[in-house]
Amino acid sequence: SLMGPEFTISFGADSGPEAGVAGLRQMQERGEDPFALILKLLDMPFTSQEREGGPSPIFTWPSVFGKPAAEWTEQDEAQLRELGDERDIQAWREFGEYGGWRLGIDAAGTWLYLVAGD
């Protein structure tokens, strides 16, 4: 499985591949297209961060994740417009950083998460 044993998805308290598949199904049941979301995220620039206790770095899409709102560039703002509407962007700005969907994969190619929120 591409999903690692600790895979986390924003829906459900469990982790792991079975919980990941269940979370993707829940998204579909609510009328969302998780696969279109995944493709959209992976088509964007990414950022990387070091990780303790596992293959480093972790690559996270979109690259605006983890960047303080005060440092967002025009390019970052363009990414945000692809991921949310003006109300979402304003909420993220007030929060101080991007809090929408993000996807993480480690250096070994293991899918770690698909989460939204803080």
Side-chain angles (χ1 to χ4, degrees):
S1 167
L2 293 176
M3 293 178 188
E6 311 264 328
F7 179 82
T8 302
I9 192 161
S10 278
F11 304 102
D14 296 331
S15 61
E18 289 178 11
V21 170
L24 295 174
R25 285 189 179 130
Q26 286 177 10
M27 290 176 74
Q28 287 179 310
E29 289 168 3
R30 287 196 321 267
E32 298 177 54
D33 185 347
F35 303 105
L37 171 65
I38 292 164
L39 290 174
K40 180 187 288 188
L41 290 170
L42 291 173
D43 198 37
M44 295 180 157
F46 63 89
T47 187
S48 64
Q49 58 203 74
E50 294 303 310
R51 162 179 147 174
E52 292 182 30
S56 267
I58 296 175
F59 300 97
T60 302
W61 288 261
S63 63
V64 71
F65 173 70
K67 184 186 259 189
E71 297 176 16
W72 289 347
T73 64
E74 287 183 30
Q75 209 171 25
D76 295 329
E77 296 269 348
Q79 272 186 30
L80 294 170
R81 283 189 291 279
E82 290 184 48
L83 298 165
D85 58 25
E86 289 303 317
R87 190 182 66 206
D88 294 325
I89 294 168
Q90 184 59 36
W92 297 328
R93 197 176 280 116
E94 290 171 8
F95 180 65
E97 63 183 29
Y98 171 70
W101 285 106
R102 56 200 178 274
L103 184 148
I105 299 174
D106 72 17
T110 302
W111 188 9
L112 302 173
Y113 54 82
L114 177 64
V115 296
D118 56 0

